[in-house]
């Protein structure tokens, strides 16, 4: 199988598809924040989240997910700004936080957890507490229930997903407006892609404002994994750190020494571009499981952008004017490569290296 025939990161969606959302996302963010200095950061954050969650997005629903994500990103910024404004008078207050107020918060959290636990079935609650509190292993629980350890583990995952949703609803004091809300939120909480497609989660989030708002912490939790890393890039030491970290992460896959070197070299090159032309940016490296095992690198910055992307990708072009690989060299090293750049608004490079298979 040639590189051109290999499937993209997500069935029905490619990195180019995500990059193509840039104008729409920029319009959505601009309509909500106007000329706010953080507007472009919000746009880039939205695209990064959509790309990171791409494995949960069913074909044809990329735009609705991007719209919902943009709304959540903007809403988070305003909530943070409001919180800082309300607490600004405490900036120089070095005294101990007010104990009664702290206790009220703790009481509310305990009450929310009690409510969430009460909404589980007796079996779900008993199994979860036995496993989490008393430390009973899944094999013992399976023997008690006449099941298998794998089935019990799957049940525990479903219970945790439901508990997170019920806790969130209790904390927010929200009652889902439709019968579809809970199944959608639970599917998001558990990261169950098949179930998300069945309940048409993307379409529901676009139509239901409460679920769109509540989906943010559930989706963000799903992205906090030990198979990804995010590195801020602002100087040569960061380039070295990114190169080493990417190589170590890629080492978890069935990559040989050559492919590990290829990944590290590609990461070095895009990081050098960030330092040289933008001054600062970040690199996100993530292991992929679907549609096959591989590693994806997303490098983004808020620099001047590339005036002529087509020329920059042409053979023989080097951004350094010297012996550097340049973007054409990076594209040849990796199996998949996409770039989105706009003068004055920065550049995002997305590249993927897949594990080798017998047919390619």
């Amino acid at each position: 199988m040639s590189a051109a025939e290999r499937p993209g990161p997500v069935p029905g969606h490619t990195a180019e598809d995500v990059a193509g959302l840039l104008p729409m996302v920029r319009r959505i963010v601009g309509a909500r924040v106007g000329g706010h200095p953080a507007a472009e950061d919000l746009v880039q954050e939205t695209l990064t989240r959509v790309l990171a969650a791409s494995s949960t997005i069913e074909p044809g629903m990329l735009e609705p997910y991007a719209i919902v994500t943009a709304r959540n990103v903007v809403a988070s910024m305003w909530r943070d700004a409001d919180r800082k404004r309300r607490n600004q008078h405490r900036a120089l207050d070095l005294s101990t936080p007010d104990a009664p107020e702290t206790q009220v918060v703790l009481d509310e959290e305990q009450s929310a957890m009690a409510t969430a636990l009460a909404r589980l079935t007796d079996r779900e609650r008993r199994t979860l507490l036995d496993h989490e509190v008393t430390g009973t292993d899944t094999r013992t629980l399976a023997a008690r229930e006449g099941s298998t350890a794998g089935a019990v583990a799957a049940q525990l995952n479903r219970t945790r997903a439901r508990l997170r949703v019920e806790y969130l609803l209790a904390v927010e004091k929200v009652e889902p407006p439709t019968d579809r809300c809970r199944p959608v939120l639970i599917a998001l909480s558990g990261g169950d892609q098949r179930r998300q497609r069945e309940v048409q989660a993307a379409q529901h989030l676009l139509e239901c404002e409460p679920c769109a708002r509540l989906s943010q912490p559930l989706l963000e939790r799903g992205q906090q994994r030990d198979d990804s890393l995010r590195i801020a890039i602002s100087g040569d030491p960061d380039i070295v750190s990114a190169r080493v970290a990417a190589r170590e992460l890629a080492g978890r896959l069935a990559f040989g020494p050559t492919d590990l070197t290829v990944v590290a070299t590609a990461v070095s090159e895009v990081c050098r571009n960030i330092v040289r032309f933008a001054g600062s940016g970040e690199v996100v490296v993530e292991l992929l499981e679907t549609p096959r095992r591989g590693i994806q690198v997303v490098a983004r910055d808020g620099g001047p952008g590339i005036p002529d992307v087509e020329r920059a990708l042409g053979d023989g072009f080097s951004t350094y004017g010297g012996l550097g690989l340049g973007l054409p060299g990076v594209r040849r090293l990796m199996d998949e490569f996409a770039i989105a750049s706009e003068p004055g608004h920065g550049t995002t490079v997305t590249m993927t290296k897949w594990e080798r298979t017998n047919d390619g």
Side-chain angles (χ1 to χ4, degrees):
M1 182 182 293
S2 67
E5 296 172 327
R6 286 171 183 154
V10 184
H13 299 307
T14 65
E16 287 87 348
D17 293 331
V18 177
L21 298 172
L22 181 62
M24 180 194 73
V25 172
R26 192 167 282 154
R27 287 196 302 271
I28 294 172
V29 172
R32 285 165 170 76
V33 305
H36 194 285
E40 191 58 28
D41 288 338
L42 296 174
V43 170
Q44 295 298 329
E45 179 65 20
T46 297
L47 293 178
T48 298
R49 291 190 184 192
V50 171
L51 190 61
S54 59
S55 60
T56 71
I57 303 175
E58 59 183 292
M61 297 308 297
L62 195 65
E63 289 191 6
Y65 260 96
I67 292 171
V68 169
T69 302
R71 290 174 180 170
N72 285 336
V73 168
V74 173
S76 293
M77 184 192 74
W78 291 132
R79 283 197 298 270
D80 290 344
D82 181 64
R83 187 182 304 112
K84 291 178 181 177
R85 179 185 57 79
R86 287 186 284 106
N87 293 313
Q88 189 172 12
H89 67 284
R90 301 184 181 185
L92 298 178
D93 184 3
L94 302 180
S95 61
T96 303
D98 186 54
E101 180 179 338
T102 301
Q103 188 58 48
V104 168
V105 173
L106 292 175
D107 289 344
E108 289 180 351
E109 292 179 348
Q110 291 174 355
S111 175
M113 180 56 71
T115 299
L117 285 169
R119 289 175 178 171
L120 301 178
T121 66
D122 290 341
R123 179 189 176 191
E124 289 174 333
R125 186 166 52 250
R126 182 179 65 252
T127 303
L128 181 64
L129 293 178
D130 282 350
H131 183 66
E132 300 291 346
V133 178
T134 65
T136 307
D137 58 46
T138 55
R139 183 174 300 178
T140 302
L141 292 172
R144 186 183 71 187
E145 298 181 9
S147 182
T148 65
V152 170
Q155 176 196 331
L156 286 168
N157 287 335
R158 291 191 296 269
T159 301
R160 293 189 191 99
R162 183 179 173 190
L163 183 65
R164 285 191 292 270
V165 171
E166 297 297 349
Y167 174 79
L168 185 61
L169 292 172
V171 167
E172 297 289 335
K173 296 180 172 60
V174 173
E175 184 60 31
T178 72
D179 292 338
R180 289 185 59 197
C181 295
R182 270 191 172 86
V184 166
L185 293 174
I186 292 172
L188 294 174
S189 177
D192 188 336
Q193 301 167 30
R194 180 185 61 80
R195 182 60 176 159
Q196 288 172 29
R197 292 192 293 270
E198 289 177 354
V199 299
Q200 298 181 324
Q203 185 65 38
H204 180 76
L205 293 182
L206 187 60
E207 298 170 349
C208 181
E209 185 64 31
C211 285
R213 178 172 57 84
L214 293 171
S215 68
Q216 181 181 358
L218 299 176
L219 289 172
E220 286 179 346
R221 181 196 173 279
Q223 296 168 19
Q224 295 172 353
R225 307 187 304 267
D226 62 358
D227 58 357
S228 65
L229 56 90
R230 183 187 299 261
I231 301 174
I233 305 297
S234 61
D236 289 343
D238 301 322
I239 297 175
V240 176
S241 297
R243 177 187 178 97
V244 172
R247 186 185 179 99
E248 289 180 352
L249 194 60
R252 300 187 192 178
L253 302 175
F255 283 151
T258 300
D259 283 338
L260 291 177
T261 300
V262 162
V263 170
T265 301
V267 169
S268 292
E269 189 68 19
V270 294
C271 288
R272 287 194 187 97
N273 279 351
I274 290 175
V275 172
R276 183 176 177 87
F277 299 108
S280 64
E282 69 172 7
V283 170
V284 179
V285 186
E286 178 184 5
L287 296 183
L288 302 177
E289 293 292 338
T290 58
R292 54 192 288 195
R293 286 168 61 83
I295 188 166
Q296 183 178 79
V297 179
V298 179
R300 63 172 184 164
D301 63 65
I306 302 175
D308 190 341
V309 172
E310 185 175 352
R311 178 171 176 266
L313 292 177
D315 287 335
F317 182 87
S318 171
T319 51
Y320 297 99
L323 299 177
L325 284 175
L327 295 176
V330 173
R331 182 168 63 171
R332 284 192 294 270
L333 287 177
M334 303 296 278
D335 294 326
E336 295 183 5
F337 180 94
I339 183 171
S341 186
E342 185 173 340
H345 293 287
T347 301
T348 299
V349 173
T350 304
M351 50 191 184
T352 306
K353 191 72 175 176
W354 302 108
E355 275 188 350
R356 297 181 184 275
T357 58
N358 293 333
D359 59 354

